[in-house]
Amino acid sequence: MNRSTKFINDIFIYAIGNLGSKLITFLLVPLYTYYISPDDFGYYDIVLTLTFLAMGFITFQLRDGTFRFLLDNEDEYTRKGVVSFSYKLMAQSSLVVLLVGIVFSFFYDIRDWGWIVAFVITLSLYEVEVQIVRGLGQNKSFVLAGILTAFQIGLYSLIFVAWLRMGIAGIFCSNILSRLVTMVIIEFRARVFKRYFIVSFRDKSLNRALLKYSLPLLPNAVCWWLLGSSSRLFIEHFLGLEANGIFAVAMKFSTILETFSVIVYQAWQETAIKQYGAADRSKFFSRIFNTYILILSVLALIFVFVLKINYSWLVDSRYLESLQYLYPMFISVICFALASFYDLGYQCSKQTVRNLPGVITTTGLNLIMNYVFIRFMGIWGIVLSSILSYLFMLGFRIIDTWKFFPVKVSMEIIYPILFLIGGAIVFYKVDSIILQIIYITVVVILSYCIQPRTIRQELQMKIKALFN
């Protein structure tokens, strides 16, 4: 299997593992918007946003470090050291969070506080566990974890939200229970804890190396959180929880494209690390990047127009206002995905510290623009700030990573830019469904014709294999 074939094969593997959970998130939007008010959904979205921030501190970003070190080392000694250290550190962190949660409950009256603490701990443990499984090369178990979790979240949401009418507490309960059950099943299948965890195992040099790699990713994760999630806090403060609920629904739909970018990122993570020493890495990396730009643009247009046509029945009438924000949000996801592509430059070279100046500067700019723009433009200001921030980071990383991650942007980037400009005009100015379908059809045909021949051949072979 050559590297292009393996890369595409990995995309399909990770797609199976990711699409389940993301598809459930998408399909549950109609259920949640029917049974949960915009105010309550806005509150849940704020909690979810803060949970992703807390996860970085609880896990010390070991979810990234364990994968990187396990993927690089196949000897049993290193694997036992990484797994043992990670499990022990996670146990200590979870205990600290539980104790802090108990103490806070005596001094502050926070809605659903018990559910929130349990949710934070469970999600943190789950994320580290599945990345360990992935790093050990057990991709089938990783895929199974995504499928099992997705199925259970859907099932439990029907029980706790629709049937028992527990509101957002039902959402928390569904997410907690699904991940706990999945972790137990995966342990029985992969035997990670049984095979690699040793209580007395200590290797200070290995532990230091793991933390040296992971800890610089913590401020990086905080900055990414501020870039992607702090907007909710601005909206809640200046516009209220109802506006945040409207914004959250639009964000849920934009995660359709974000899911694809995550799938490609995970597959690219493996390929880039293993191909970093290749003599023609610049040519190979450039070909992948330019193809990625084209595919992202086409998928964004397909998704956003399909959503526009079906939006009236996908969400409750109280949330229809969110439709107008979909197109620029998809543009923002494209910018985010392209900036994330260059993140592998820091990981491949193990120079994670070098990533900090760019992401910190971008975060500062984003916070300033959020504060200024929302006061004059409302939610539109937040969306514009997001696009400009990710564009700045993309430009910064292209320059900063050139020495060890050279990617040459082709002039063919003009095509997806033209597609997106034309799509914006059609989305906002054309109401005819027939004309919208014609536009998308033309874009798909043109994009297929201008794709690199090798990539097109690999995709054709993979698709044929699925149906044979």
Side-chain angles (χ1 to χ4, degrees), residues 25 29 41 44-45 48 247-256:
T25 300
V29 170
F41 197 77
Y44 165 72
D45 187 66
L48 185 63
F247 180 79
V249 168
M251 283 292 293
K252 293 295 182 186
F253 286 111
S254 70
T255 56
I256 300 172

Side-chain angles (χ1 to χ4, degrees), residues 367-438:
L367 293 176
I368 293 172
M369 287 189 292
N370 279 345
Y371 179 78
V372 174
F373 291 171
I374 195 173
R375 300 164 73 91
F376 301 101
M377 302 171 63
I379 293 179
W380 281 106
I382 294 295
V383 177
L384 177 61
S385 172
S386 176
I387 295 173
L388 294 177
S389 298
Y390 290 134
L391 280 175
F392 174 83
M393 176 174 284
L394 174 60
F396 185 95
R397 285 183 167 180
I398 289 175
I399 298 171
D400 188 49
T401 62
W402 182 259
K403 291 183 179 180
F404 48 88
F405 201 75
V407 175
K408 297 179 180 179
V409 180
S410 169
M411 287 301 294
E412 291 181 354
I413 192 177
I414 294 173
Y415 295 113
I417 291 176
L418 292 176
F419 292 160
L420 293 172
I421 293 174
I425 296 172
V426 175
F427 184 83
Y428 287 107
K429 300 296 183 181
V430 177
D431 292 325
S432 171
I433 295 178
I434 296 177
L435 290 178
Q436 293 175 16
I437 294 175
I438 291 174

Side-chain angles (χ1 to χ4, degrees), residues 251-431:
M251 283 292 293
K252 293 295 182 186
F253 286 111
S254 70
T255 56
I256 300 172
L257 184 62
E258 187 178 337
T259 299
F260 174 76
S261 73
V262 170
I263 292 167
V264 173
Y265 179 86
Q266 291 177 340
W268 178 236
Q269 196 174 23
E270 285 197 31
T271 302
I273 290 172
K274 292 180 179 179
Q275 293 296 322
Y276 185 63
D280 64 338
R281 75 169 184 233
S282 178
K283 181 179 179 181
F284 177 63
F285 286 10
S286 299
R287 181 160 57 90
I288 297 296
F289 181 74
N290 287 287
T291 304
Y292 189 35
I293 293 175
L294 182 62
I295 294 175
L296 279 172
S297 301
V298 174
L299 287 179
L301 290 170
I302 293 174
F303 292 152
V304 79
F305 278 103
V306 170
L307 286 172
K308 180 184 178 182
I309 293 171
N310 297 280
Y311 212 67
S312 60
W313 64 268
L314 283 174
V315 302
D316 188 79
S317 58
R318 296 171 294 176
Y319 295 87
L320 287 177
E321 178 188 343
S322 60
L323 172 63
Q324 62 185 310
Y325 307 115
L326 285 186
Y327 196 93
M329 281 186 172
F330 274 83
I331 301 298
S332 175
V333 171
I334 292 176
C335 298
F336 159 78
L338 297 179
S340 297
F341 184 93
Y342 281 88
D343 185 61
L344 268 297
Y346 303 106
Q347 294 187 34
C348 288
S349 61
K350 289 189 176 179
Q351 298 187 38
T352 51
V353 175
R354 185 167 175 165
N355 184 33
L356 295 180
V359 74
I360 290 174
T361 303
T362 304
T363 302
L365 290 173
N366 177 257
L367 293 176
I368 293 172
M369 287 189 292
N370 279 345
Y371 179 78
V372 174
F373 291 171
I374 195 173
R375 300 164 73 91
F376 301 101
M377 302 171 63
I379 293 179
W380 281 106
I382 294 295
V383 177
L384 177 61
S385 172
S386 176
I387 295 173
L388 294 177
S389 298
Y390 290 134
L391 280 175
F392 174 83
M393 176 174 284
L394 174 60
F396 185 95
R397 285 183 167 180
I398 289 175
I399 298 171
D400 188 49
T401 62
W402 182 259
K403 291 183 179 180
F404 48 88
F405 201 75
V407 175
K408 297 179 180 179
V409 180
S410 169
M411 287 301 294
E412 291 181 354
I413 192 177
I414 294 173
Y415 295 113
I417 291 176
L418 292 176
F419 292 160
L420 293 172
I421 293 174
I425 296 172
V426 175
F427 184 83
Y428 287 107
K429 300 296 183 181
V430 177
D431 292 325

Side-chain angles (χ1 to χ4, degrees), residues 58 60 68 71 115 165 174 230 254 277 302 368 391 397 419 435:
I58 297 171
F60 295 88
R68 181 69 175 87
L71 187 67
W115 287 115
R165 303 293 181 92
S174 301
S230 64
S254 70
I302 293 174
I368 293 172
L391 280 175
R397 285 183 167 180
F419 292 160
L435 290 178

Side-chain angles (χ1 to χ4, degrees), residues 56-76:
F57 294 95
I58 297 171
T59 65
F60 295 88
Q61 285 304 114
L62 285 176
R63 64 184 305 275
D64 296 309
T66 52
F67 170 74
R68 181 69 175 87
F69 274 68
L70 291 173
L71 187 67
D72 257 1
N73 299 279
E74 297 184 2
D75 61 285
E76 292 293 300

